[in-house]
Amino acid sequence: MENNLKFPTKPFRTKGGAKVPHRKNTAQCESVVLTDIPEVVIPMSQHIGAPCKVAVQKGDKVFVGTVVGDTDAFVSAPVHSSVSGEVKDIITMTLPNGVVTEAVVITSDGLFEKDPDLKPPVVESKEDFLKAVRASGLVGLGGAGFPAHVKLNVPKGKEIDTLLINCAECEPYITADHREVLENSWAVMSGIYAVKDILGVKRVIIGVEKNKPDAIKLLKEIADNEKADPDDVVRVLPLKSSYPQGAEKVLIKATTGRVVPAGGLPSDVGCVVMNVASVAFIADYLKTGMPLVRKRLTVDGSAIRNPRNVIVPIGTPVNRLIELCGGYKEECGKLLMGGPMMGIALFEDSAPILKQNNAILAFNVKDASTAKGGSCIRCGKCVDACPMNLVPCTIVRAAKNNQVDVLKEYNTMTCMECGCCTVVCPAQRYLVQSIRLGKAILREEAKKEKGAEVKK
Amino acid sequence: MKLFVSSSPHLRSKKTTTGVMLDVIIALMPALIMAVVYFGFKALLLALICVGTCVLTEYICRKVMKRQNTIADLSAAVTGLLLALNLPVDINPFIAVFGSVVAIVVVKQMFGGIGYNFVNPALAARVVLMVSFPTAMTSWTNTRFMEAVDGVSSATPLATGEGAYSYLDLFLGNIGGSMGEICTLAILLGGIYLVARRVISPIIPVVYLGTAAVMSLILGLDPLYQLMSGGIVLGAVFMATDYVTSPITKWGKVIFGVGLGILTMLIRTYSNLPEGVSFAILLMNILVPHIEKLTKPKSFGEAKKEKGEKV
């Protein structure tokens, strides 16, 4: 791998993708810090992995940064109170993605007093660093919510030579990462250096979509600055503005030319990918010791009166957030947590903001109406659009007919559910939705096979 | 507040099946206009008869089968128009109506309607008519710019043999043949429109025509004369690129095109049939599922198969 460690001057070719509108309406809106939140709801499961156990009791006094939930499990991340005040209740709730979990309801006293026990972590070794990252509660802020300390704890035997910073932000509407770069550029660079030293990589590439020229300019200035980047290991690579440029495997291909094997991880090809907001948070945390308690996100959509970027305490109910953005200007038909391509539709507007959340989008009834899927005309547009080079229409047919062998043959599990096939489908079919069904069938099948093996 | 909940993505492109079909109809307009120029308004009338019959038949079919009506997607109109352009202009209208009904009822709706037919409806109907009414289907009318040799009927450039028509006449369509297949220029204009609008990929037409040209050279024929005669350009641009009955994979399209070129030229040279395009396309249509299976694209990060490993 040594010989291809040069910095690419232009992105490597990636296949497929869909032309989606950018609608980055809030790119020039400086983030507003919102504090007028009377109550927050902090769910115990805001990450991939084991849910936390509640660590406080009803009536407890908590501060900003007080741990309210933790667990011994490795793949997990603690959750903290995002306000100071009193634990009002401990409830069981259903998250927008269908996960049922416990949650701590905290009444805010409006003072945002810091937990007196918080102090910057002392980092002398890699173990200290990973411990600190775990204690900070950081999860992948790009949307997946994978605990950061697990990602940074690269398994032995896997050599990492490249750190990729994901600043593609290819989802329409969302500008939170863009604003993070503009408003917090010091932390971005400082965080990159911290992570780079821990991983011991020789090369850091920041991938940014070309539709953020000001962010590219600023990042380049920092990366070319001898003081900020003394080892000259950080470079910025402007990427084509096309969805899904920010998907992990696509980003790795575009920036390094490497192909992550099916079912594999970025570490299999010597890469670690981190979201730009995640590295900036690490820098802030190392400096202040304040865990992940607030989040920068974009509030936009056709039904929002004042679209803007905000910084809110985690656990803020969506309806309170929208009130603080001027409320709805027309009847809201669909509320999304995340972008329109991969975001989750909320079933109630009282859902709390989660750690990995980067946008709340509210659409009017017209934009919310759903398409009526017709018959497949086999135009092949889904095949052209698939970044994973799959044949979506065939997989869909197999999923609907429960053909396990065909689902396997067509590598259904490789689908990352980006939704490109569905966006381009002229018959307005629900393709990726049916592929999800296919993946579920295969997971069931794998469980069955495993069960059969155990019996043997 | 009532919230719609659905699985992502929450966006759709504006392109619809109806839009695709409308693009095909627009692309067929130059050929239709040239037919009117060469044969007068009876060409337009024949097109209207076929389109009308196809749409009406589809409407009745869906009604009888108690299924959602699909005439609004314009696919039946496309079938009708394509069939009309594949007929001699002076054909008995009842034969045209019969062909339209065959296309919609037998080939399309009985297999489940749009997206499920395994051969191209217009072409299959044309072949049925060719077999059922061989004389009517090969009685060509002189274009209005041709010196009448024997009064009414003329011969196709394939029947006369090479050299009977000038390249210019062939290119502009001042020749005998089905009303939509004669003018190569008009068909190519339509093809360019379809490619520019990204409705079709140019792979199939280019490979098909290229293979046919090479085959002509091998068989000792004049490639230019062969390509501009008969229905090969119309077939390559509008019939072989029919979504439903052509492969969706890139290499599948290449194989499909090569197969078409070889079959067309072999039928033209060695069989008793006057033309090989229809049969070549129908034959290749039937092979599409197998071609697709052969050319399944390698997905992102898919491991190379070891030799001898079972799929």
Side-chain angles (χ1 to χ4, degrees):
Chain A
M1 259 180 230
E2 293 272 314
N3 50 359
N4 60 11
L5 261 185
K6 273 184 254 160
F7 285 99
T9 47
K10 60 178 201 299
F12 292 85
R13 253 188 88 204
T14 51
K15 191 231 155 208
K19 268 195 186 141
V20 294
H22 294 305
R23 298 192 187 145
K24 304 277 191 185
N25 315 318
T26 53
Q28 300 311 320
C29 301
E30 193 156 340
S31 314
V32 185
V33 179
L34 300 180
T35 52
D36 187 10
I37 318 287
E39 190 177 279
V40 293
V41 180
I42 317 254
M44 291 297 112
S45 181
Q46 303 189 38
H47 47 260
I48 293 173
C52 296
K53 290 192 191 79
V54 178
V56 288
Q57 282 172 341
K58 202 168 158 178
D60 280 4
K61 168 85 182 145
V62 292
F63 300 97
V64 181
T66 307
V67 174
V68 295
D70 205 349
T71 158
D72 297 333
F74 177 64
V75 185
S76 186
V79 287
H80 306 83
S81 172
S82 56
V83 294
S84 59
E86 196 185 289
V87 176
K88 184 184 156 195
D89 203 359
I90 290 159
I91 57 168
T92 301
M93 66 177 301
T94 308
L95 294 177
N97 60 4
V99 170
V100 178
T101 179
E102 279 185 305
V104 176
V105 185
I106 302 165
T107 314
S108 171
D109 56 16
L111 299 175
F112 287 89
E113 272 179 78
K114 260 197 231 167
D115 192 316
D117 294 342
L118 288 181
K119 51 182 181 288
V122 184
V123 176
E124 279 163 357
S125 65
K126 186 171 176 177
E127 283 66 39
D128 288 350
F129 183 82
L130 294 178
K131 230 189 237 167
V133 171
R134 188 187 191 284
S136 75
L138 177 63
V139 300
L141 298 182
F146 191 70
H149 67 100
V150 183
K151 187 187 268 187
L152 290 172
N153 188 10
V154 180
K156 278 205 178 84
K158 285 198 178 149
E159 204 190 321
I160 303 296
D161 57 19
T162 306
L163 170 63
L164 298 174
I165 304 300
N166 191 347
C167 188
E169 202 160 55
C170 53
E171 278 261 11
Y173 291 97
I174 307 180
T175 59
D177 286 351
H178 187 174
R179 294 310 302 177
E180 184 78 36
V181 170
L182 297 184
E183 295 170 26
N184 207 8
S185 50
W186 166 86
V188 170
M189 205 57 185
S190 165
I192 288 174
Y193 257 76
V195 176
K196 172 204 98 119
D197 289 343
I198 289 302
L199 293 172
V201 297
K202 304 169 194 78
R203 171 172 82 153
V204 183
I205 303 171
I206 311 177
V208 196
E209 270 193 6
K210 277 182 184 150
N211 62 6
K212 296 177 259 298
D214 49 351
I216 292 176
K217 189 162 163 263
L218 185 63
L219 286 169
K220 272 196 170 152
E221 267 170 28
I222 306 175
D224 293 343
N225 185 328
E226 262 177 48
K227 246 188 209 160
D229 181 18
D231 315 332
D232 194 29
V233 290
V234 184
R235 297 277 169 89
V236 181
L237 185 65
L239 304 171
K240 197 171 66 176
S241 301
S242 91
Y243 183 85
Q245 199 62 254
E248 201 165 60
K249 287 179 176 178
V250 178
L251 186 81
I252 293 173
K253 176 81 202 299
T255 51
T256 68
R258 297 176 192 169
V259 175
V260 180
L265 291 169
S267 58
D268 293 332
V269 291
C271 295
V272 165
V273 185
M274 290 200 77
N275 180 266
V276 69
S278 299
V279 286
F281 167 79
I282 288 181
D284 284 331
Y285 178 71
L286 292 176
K287 198 172 153 202
T288 63
M290 177 56 76
L292 185 58
V293 293
R294 42 183 224 167
K295 189 69 211 287
R296 187 193 308 271
L297 42 93
T298 302
V299 184
D300 200 350
S302 53
I304 293 283
R305 192 175 306 275
N306 302 323
R308 51 168 71 170
N309 283 296
V310 296
I311 296 176
V312 287
I314 284 160
T316 302
V318 170
N319 45 16
R320 178 63 192 151
L321 172 63
I322 285 169
E323 271 170 39
L324 292 171
C325 293
Y328 300 113
K329 70 179 174 196
E330 50 192 305
E331 199 192 336
C332 175
K334 196 180 235 181
L335 257 182
L336 297 183
M337 186 168 265
M341 291 302 291
M342 289 188 82
I344 296 173
L346 301 183
F347 53 86
E348 54 184 10
D349 65 353
S350 59
I353 300 295
L354 307 175
K355 284 177 181 178
Q356 71 269 38
N357 195 193
N358 46 17
I360 290 293
L361 304 176
F363 293 101
N364 60 27
V365 178
K366 191 175 139 254
D367 290 344
S369 62
T370 44
K372 207 171 171 187
S375 293
C376 174
I377 54 170
R378 291 174 33 88
C379 63
K381 295 219 182 304
C382 53
V383 182
D384 296 337
C386 180
M388 294 290 108
N389 215 18
L390 299 169
V391 188
C393 50
T394 303
I395 297 178
V396 168
R397 203 176 49 212
K400 291 196 166 170
N401 296 326
N402 218 345
Q403 294 167 295
V404 176
D405 49 335
V406 180
L407 287 174
K408 277 185 189 160
E409 193 193 332
Y410 279 82
N411 302 312
T412 307
M413 290 316 268
T414 302
C415 173
M416 56 182 186
E417 306 179 14
C418 65
C420 288
C421 52
T422 314
V423 167
V424 299
C425 179
Q428 315 271 310
R429 288 167 66 76
Y430 289 88
L431 296 176
V432 68
Q433 292 86 347
S434 302
I435 296 176
R436 288 189 186 115
L437 171 72
K439 289 170 84 172
I441 292 172
L442 286 182
R443 276 191 215 106
E444 276 301 301
E445 198 66 20
K447 248 189 239 166
K448 259 190 246 161
E449 275 169 25
K450 220 177 177 184
E453 251 168 55
V454 170
K455 266 179 208 161
K456 271 182 205 166
Chain B
M1 188 165 63
K2 210 173 88 184
L3 290 176
F4 285 98
V5 180
S6 62
S7 183
S8 68
H10 310 280
L11 278 180
R12 290 282 186 177
S13 78
K14 290 197 178 70
K15 203 161 214 173
T16 58
T17 302
T18 309
V20 168
M21 296 300 163
L22 191 62
D23 269 337
V24 176
I25 292 175
I26 291 170
L28 283 169
M29 281 303 123
L32 182 62
I33 290 168
M34 286 313 287
V36 174
V37 168
Y38 282 127
F39 302 113
F41 280 96
K42 59 188 176 183
L44 189 61
L45 191 68
L46 181 62
L48 288 177
I49 289 172
C50 287
V51 170
T53 312
C54 279
V55 173
L56 186 69
T57 313
E58 174 141 314
Y59 179 80
I60 295 169
C61 252
R62 300 300 283 193
K63 204 90 192 170
V64 170
M65 296 191 294
K66 296 195 173 62
R67 299 208 175 192
Q68 187 203 346
N69 228 303
T70 48
I71 52 167
D73 65 28
L74 295 180
S75 62
V78 168
T79 300
L81 190 51
L82 273 177
L83 179 62
L85 293 176
N86 270 295
L87 296 176
V89 71
D90 276 320
I91 197 159
N92 183 336
F94 288 106
I95 296 180
V97 168
F98 175 69
S100 305
V101 173
V102 167
I104 295 298
V105 178
V106 180
V107 188
K108 193 177 172 196
Q109 292 302 338
M110 280 199 176
F111 286 90
I114 183 169
Y116 294 100
N117 48 291
F118 69 102
V119 288
N120 186 313
L123 263 188
R126 180 189 143 99
V127 167
V128 167
L129 295 185
M130 283 239 289
V131 177
S132 317
F133 310 97
T135 322
M137 284 296 285
T138 47
S139 303
W140 316 109
T141 308
N142 277 332
T143 70
R144 67 171 71 180
F145 307 111
M146 273 156 83
E147 287 166 46
V149 184
D150 54 1
V152 196
S153 74
S154 69
T156 72
L158 288 176
T160 58
E162 285 175 8
Y165 293 97
S166 72
Y167 284 146
L168 187 69
D169 275 347
L170 287 168
F171 189 59
L172 295 179
N174 194 20
I175 53 175
S178 300
M179 71 182 224
E181 74 181 22
I182 50 175
C183 183
T184 305
L185 171 67
I187 300 164
L188 288 181
L189 280 178
I192 291 168
Y193 174 80
L194 287 182
V195 172
R197 294 276 295 165
R198 291 179 186 276
V199 173
I200 62 167
S201 126
I203 298 177
I204 292 176
V206 170
V207 174
Y208 183 4
L209 297 177
T211 309
V214 172
M215 279 299 287
S216 317
L217 287 176
I218 294 172
L219 296 167
L221 300 164
D222 174 0
L224 265 182
Y225 194 90
Q226 286 295 329
L227 289 190
M228 292 194 289
S229 310
I232 188 164
V233 179
L234 183 69
V237 173
F238 288 100
M239 311 288 221
T241 56
D242 172 27
Y243 287 152
V244 181
T245 54
S246 66
I248 43 177
T249 58
K250 198 169 73 184
W251 287 105
K253 288 184 207 289
V254 174
I255 295 176
F256 189 70
V258 170
L260 287 174
I262 294 174
L263 279 177
T264 303
M265 293 316 295
L266 286 182
I267 297 174
R268 273 189 183 182
T269 315
Y270 294 112
S271 86
N272 285 331
L273 294 162
E275 167 64 310
V277 175
S278 306
F279 282 101
I281 297 180
L282 286 191
L283 276 171
M284 290 309 286
N285 281 167
I286 297 168
L287 290 179
V288 164
H290 303 287
I291 295 175
E292 276 184 2
K293 216 162 175 190
L294 269 179
T295 56
K296 181 179 87 69
K298 195 159 252 347
S299 69
F300 191 93
E302 185 179 349
K304 285 194 186 95
K305 287 216 170 62
E306 302 281 323
K307 263 186 192 168
E309 193 181 341
K310 271 189 189 166
V311 180

